[in-house]
Amino acid sequence: MQRQEFEAQIAAAHDDADGLLKICDLLMGRSEPWAGRLRIDAMARRIALRKLRPFPAGPSTPASSSAAPDWLASLGIDAPDGRPLYQYRLSKEQFTAAQAELEKRAPAMSFQRKVSDCALFVLWAAEWYRRCYGGGLQRWQDLGDEIGLVLDHAPWRRVADVGLRFWKIPPLRLNGFHLRLSAIARQGGFPVAAFSGDYSGWARQYLERLTGLLLAEADPDLPRADAHAAALDAMIPVTWRHEGMRTVCAELALQIVRLRREAEAGGAVSGSLVSAWLDVNRPGWRNDLPLQVDDGRALVDGLIRAAPIRGGSGSVRATRLLVRERGEWHEKVRLELQGSLREIDQRELAGALSDEWSRLRLYPAGAFARHVSGELAIVEPGDDRDWTARPATSRIEFDLPFHVPVEVELRGEGKRVCGPFLLPHGTRVAEGVRVFLAETVDEDEQPTHLALVGTGSGAFRPQSLFLDLPDDWSVEAEGDDSSCGQLEGEGDVGRHLWDVCGTLRVRSKRGDLYLIRCGQANDRRDSLHLIGQAPRGCTSAQPDLQLLVGLPRLELRDSGVARAPAAREAWWRLAGMRDWMPLDRDVTPGHCEFAWLDGKTGHIRDRAEAIVLPEGFEIQRAFVGDSVEFTVAGWDGSVLWDAGRSAASGGWRIPRRGGRRSSGGLTLSRPGIDPVALAVPLPHQAWISHWTTGPADRGARLSIATLHQYVARSDHIVQSFLNRSPHGAVR
């Protein structure tokens, strides 16, 4: 549709909030400059309608519940009217009183559940999710433990259905599942508990990023806040992703920005506790927030750290997923393509590119391009010589095996100008311990979407997690408060999923010990990084495996702080071996593993793999007539090439022109180690190659169905023309 058609649709839907919302969603996928302005206009009309008719009619309450419960008046509620439950604004005292009342009713509710009991439970549970929920899997047991109520799944569902119907809240259905517990959690609005302590979950990150975007604007209003909130939807887990959450977050972030600016204009020192200034100069400031916040200091003062974000909505990144479809688990990746574009180590891309380019385009590269094709995002210079991206595709989830790194490149006028480089969290996922957090569950509280939150050992805030482990690894729960059990469902061959909580010891078939701690006060995910020099003239045949010359330097990230290893923390071994050796001696060249072992428990805090080559190793090349001669220097073992012909000097020669192969295979061998496979770039002409079998034959016909299995390779910019035959083939 064109601009005039969208304008006509917006005018026709002036009194239809749902219709305006659909138009907003359509405009989200448009890249034209006018699309953003029209979306803001439609959003403003929808918000105005919501204010005129804030509470849509919900399902009618059963006749048996026509008599208002006694506790309604004590909470200051006249009657249910269909509004989100957080808008009843229960105080801390009322929340505590409701919990105490439910504790008294719990014994009777185990046998008989009245409508008033179910209604009170749903109201209290929604408030509990707002005040107390710290992230992780949503479980009925967590709510039951708070009030001393133990029920099976079926009675819990009955409680939820009756209670939600009393409050005129419609049922929540996602992907064909009736999600009762998620419906209750949504009614709590924004989970304010995310701002108590050093929590780094989605809720805090989302609100901080939204606040940063509004701080970058001179005079933000609610339609702008709502538009920013919708643009950041990918940061919100699916079960929390709905219009009500976007609305409360937009209103909350906007009010936080206004309070901050009011305090700073009134003399509050930048970076100081804004809440302290507000308590003195505006005692009723909490009443201006869109939801009840008894204290509010952690919320407001936590967001004081939010810096203005100009031109984007945070860091472009990848999230690895396990998704259950028809009883089977599938490996996927979710791409967040809106915001600041950074390299894997969080360093911003070279600002010098802005001197030559005003717009670049982000494309898949390397093995990632075998699975995902086409333009991903448009990248433009922002302030302070950084780069910001906006998506060029509406699709954000792709099938992608965990062993494939998420590698991308920047192109300008059809040629690569930067990269390839890895997106944050886009590295190959290690084969060992994989730690997941449930994003969505079905009506039986079984997970359907799992997001990768760590590999190896670590401490995690959620009370329950899921581990993806090889079949021949063992899991042991430590202590009475810990448990583990296997999940049903087919996944990767040779691996199983475990539902765990508490403290777990995971042991590999080689005796390596990993420690997983759930329900911790803070997240702690330590990491090990290998720092060294890459060899000249070659790369690893496995793109995800680092290739280094000489002994690498180990850098430990201890709770995010980089440091050198202490005594007996750094160890190494040849790949496939069982015993670790201290990293205080020369490393045998070959495929090596490196580990950070805990000094007290001996468990592996993190590990890394790399191919280590001797000092002075390089691939030398020289022009000899019409050929290029390659010579291996710095290797005392045998060398085997799979391209060219051997030369009298001991090297290999490749024709300078007419070659079709973009790289040659080189295998290094020596006694006591497994062969090492390298890839060496070769001179070649523009050609079409199969991803696995190599260059296509001249004149070969490729069907449309198999075209995705091929890639065009060239050392320079070329323009290709594909001729489609009447039979559907491409020449």
Side-chain angles (χ1 to χ4, degrees), residues 693-712:
T693 60
D697 294 334
R698 184 182 296 275
R701 294 191 175 190
L702 315 177
S703 68
I704 294 294
T706 61
L707 194 59
H708 68 283
Q709 300 175 8
Y710 292 84
V711 59

Side-chain angles (χ1 to χ4, degrees), residues 27-36 359 378 390-392:
L27 288 168
M28 275 288 292
R30 303 297 291 256
S31 58
E32 296 88 346
W34 50 263
R359 173 174 290 184
I378 298 171
R390 54 186 174 89

Side-chain angles (χ1 to χ4, degrees), residues 138-152:
Q138 298 168 0
R139 301 184 302 179
W140 292 112
Q141 180 184 344
D142 296 332
L143 297 171
D145 290 345
E146 295 287 335
I147 59 176
L149 180 60
V150 179
L151 297 175
D152 293 331

Side-chain angles (χ1 to χ4, degrees), residues 599-613:
K600 295 181 180 179
T601 65
H603 74 272
I604 296 178
R605 295 176 67 168
D606 197 19
R607 60 183 291 275
E609 297 182 39
I611 293 177
V612 178
L613 299 173

Side-chain angles (χ1 to χ4, degrees), residues 205-206 208-210 213 231-232 234-235 309-319 334-349 362 377 386-391 421-426:
Q205 294 173 0
Y206 177 80
E208 285 182 346
R209 197 161 297 173
L210 178 57
L213 288 169
L232 295 173
M235 296 181 64
I309 300 174
R310 296 176 174 85
S313 54
S315 176
V316 172
R317 59 179 291 172
T319 301
R334 180 170 63 226
L335 301 181
E336 297 176 20
L337 299 171
Q338 178 95 19
S340 176
L341 186 60
R342 302 174 184 271
E343 289 190 48
I344 187 61
D345 60 358
Q346 299 297 301
R347 291 181 292 110
E348 293 189 6
L349 294 172
L362 188 72
D386 62 350
W387 288 81
T388 56
R390 54 186 174 89
F421 57 93
L422 290 167
L423 287 185
H425 306 289

